[in-house]
Amino acid sequence: MNSPDFGPATAVAAIDGFGEDFALQVRPMSKRKPSNGEVVVKVEAAAVNPIDVRRRGGYGRRIFSLMGATRMPLVLGNDFAGIVCAVGAGVNGLREGDAVFGAKPPSSEGTHATHVMVRADHVALSPSSIPADALATLPYNFQTVARAFADAGISRDTVRERPVLVYGATGGLGQIAVRLLYLLGAKVTAVGAKNGLQACFDAGAAEVVDRHAQSLASLPRHFAATLNFANWDDEAKLLHLLSPDAVGHATTVHPLLGNFDRLGLIAGGVASFAGKRAKRALIPHGARYGWTTFRSSSAVLESLTTCAASLRPLCVKTFPLSQVEQAYLHVARREPGRAVLLPQQP
Ligand SMILES: NC(=O)c1ccc[n+]([C@@H]2O[C@H](COP(=O)([O-])OP(=O)(O)OC[C@H]3O[C@@H](n4cnc5c(N)ncnc54)[C@H](OP(=O)(O)O)[C@@H]3O)[C@@H](O)[C@H]2O)c1
């Protein structure tokens, strides 16, 4: 943010500290020229994900500080859809004016801004069939789901015609996972609260379970894979549902970052290793067990561009950048629809 300025000023939604005492403030921020391998994207749409709300409260700060992703003023946000407006040296395949989308790794220069600097390998050309607001809900969630599939050993070969359970199926990750599993030929059992379950059927679930009406313990122990996108407290119950010849399980709601925050890097690492080993002991021999974390991958982003049209668009609720606080509140209260900022809207 101290590099040479160019062009008109840009606005960002930033915080100056963690926690409720620090408001998200929209403020001007000077742009810098893209370095080697970077592009500047004029952001048309940027999703607000649950991780943004948690990072605002300080979650993950020990690990994120090692990546420079806690520097204040801190601009949150990973996903973006927009237009390339400057291209650095050494970038091939992207030009000014290209419609693009993608997800940045955690940084202090996130996407909740009118413009964002992104490494070119975290950017892909937008599929023209999908509007920017819907597109901006996909890259972070899709790349996390793809990693969860890899962590659990899920592929067409391993789950075709086999039952797979998605816990948290009504959420952003869950909806994408249900759809992708359906496309891989799995028989999906979607577990979530009642009001989101029709969307799970629509995404391709073979069976839906209202988590308030039926307990996990009452489900058959026959699943080739289970995915936990909902609640770490239920991890062991989900592992008990795997069949003896299961492929594996992955969870995105593990305590890894929380352990580091609470205990420090060494004790947090030891606690995580022990916690993971204890859970791994519960799964059938030969099955995989993964604690999934988001990672931006150009190969996975490319695969998203080819299959995006087959995904069902997530329902969105849009906000101009000036209403960024309301957007975060929307996510914190878990109100229906993915929150998406439209930074070019007045
Ligand atoms: N580790 C990583 O890198 C990573 C990356 C992405 C996301 N995540 C985390 O993964 C989780 C899912 O992300 P998301 O974007 O899909 O979130 P989301 O849209 O808020 O969905 C959360 C889902 O979890 C369910 N749920 C919430 N509380 C629950 C509880 N106490 N018991 C059972 N189900 C519960 C909700 O279902 P109902 O409809 O039943 O309430 C909903 O289906 C979030 O916690 C997020 O922070 C982690």
Side-chain angles (χ1 to χ4, degrees):
M1 290 186 193
N2 296 323
S3 310
D5 294 354
F6 82 104
T10 151
V12 297
I15 50 172
D16 292 309
F18 295 120
E20 286 174 3
D21 292 345
F22 295 94
L24 274 158
Q25 286 177 338
V26 179
R27 58 182 82 169
M29 185 74 72
S30 53
K31 281 196 286 188
R32 64 180 170 86
K33 280 188 175 156
S35 306
N36 255 6
E38 290 183 324
V39 298
V40 180
V41 176
K42 182 176 166 190
V43 180
E44 290 187 325
V48 182
N49 290 309
I51 187 66
D52 300 314
V53 174
R54 298 180 77 187
R55 280 185 66 197
R56 184 188 179 184
Y59 173 75
R61 61 192 175 282
R62 282 204 199 248
I63 292 295
F64 291 138
S65 70
L66 302 178
M67 306 158 67
T70 53
R71 229 177 14 247
M72 301 289 167
L74 175 61
V75 182
L76 294 161
N78 300 87
D79 290 305
F80 60 89
I83 306 292
V84 174
C85 60
V87 179
V91 173
N92 297 315
L94 291 172
R95 288 181 305 191
E96 279 183 41
D98 281 343
V100 293
F101 77 130
K104 278 189 84 164
S107 75
S108 62
E109 297 180 15
T111 63
H112 296 168
T114 56
H115 298 76
V116 70
M117 187 76 64
V118 197
R119 260 178 43 194
D121 56 343
H122 297 146
V123 178
L125 294 173
S126 298
S128 55
S129 55
I130 304 177
D133 56 356
L135 200 53
T137 65
L138 292 178
Y140 181 80
N141 288 326
F142 181 90
Q143 293 187 73
T144 304
V145 170
R147 281 196 68 81
F149 280 17
D151 289 341
I154 291 173
S155 67
R156 187 181 298 279
D157 287 344
T158 59
V159 300
R160 203 163 73 88
E161 298 288 326
R162 297 184 72 188
V164 176
L165 183 143
V166 180
Y167 193 45
T170 53
L173 297 184
Q175 286 290 291
I176 290 173
V178 169
R179 185 68 180 169
L180 289 175
L181 286 163
Y182 166 76
L183 294 171
L184 293 178
K187 295 179 197 157
V188 183
T189 295
V191 185
K194 196 173 171 185
N195 52 9
L197 292 178
Q198 183 57 46
C200 296
F201 267 135
D202 296 344
E207 178 189 32
V208 299
V209 173
D210 176 355
R211 68 179 175 90
H212 297 294
Q214 193 176 349
S215 70
L216 288 174
S218 70
L219 297 175
R221 298 176 69 168
H222 73 173
F223 291 98
T226 49
L227 294 166
N228 187 0
F229 301 140
N231 186 3
W232 173 249
D233 292 344
D234 291 328
E235 185 79 350
K237 290 180 199 155
L238 292 166
L239 300 179
H240 283 298
L241 298 177
L242 290 168
S243 66
D245 62 345
V247 182
H249 170 95
T251 178
T252 58
V253 289
H254 51 75
L256 183 68
L257 294 186
N259 283 344
F260 286 127
D261 287 342
R262 227 166 19 90
L263 303 169
L265 290 180
I266 294 174
V270 171
S272 297
F273 181 77
K276 198 170 173 183
R277 196 173 52 180
K279 290 291 189 292
R280 189 179 278 125
L282 301 175
I283 64 170
H285 183 69
R288 293 197 199 185
Y289 179 63
W291 285 10
T292 298
T293 51
F294 162 77
R295 222 174 278 167
S296 194
S297 148
S298 53
V300 178
L301 193 57
E302 275 311 316
S303 69
L304 171 56
T305 59
T306 54
C307 77
S310 322
L311 298 175
R312 289 171 43 77
L314 299 177
C315 174
V316 298
K317 167 91 173 121
T318 58
F319 299 85
L321 197 60
S322 58
Q323 289 179 15
V324 61
E325 279 288 3
Q326 287 95 316
Y328 274 62
L329 207 57
H330 176 90
V331 179
R333 290 180 176 157
R334 299 181 38 227
E335 287 168 356
R338 301 299 286 189
V340 175
L341 297 169
L342 302 179
Q344 306 304 324
Q345 260 192 14

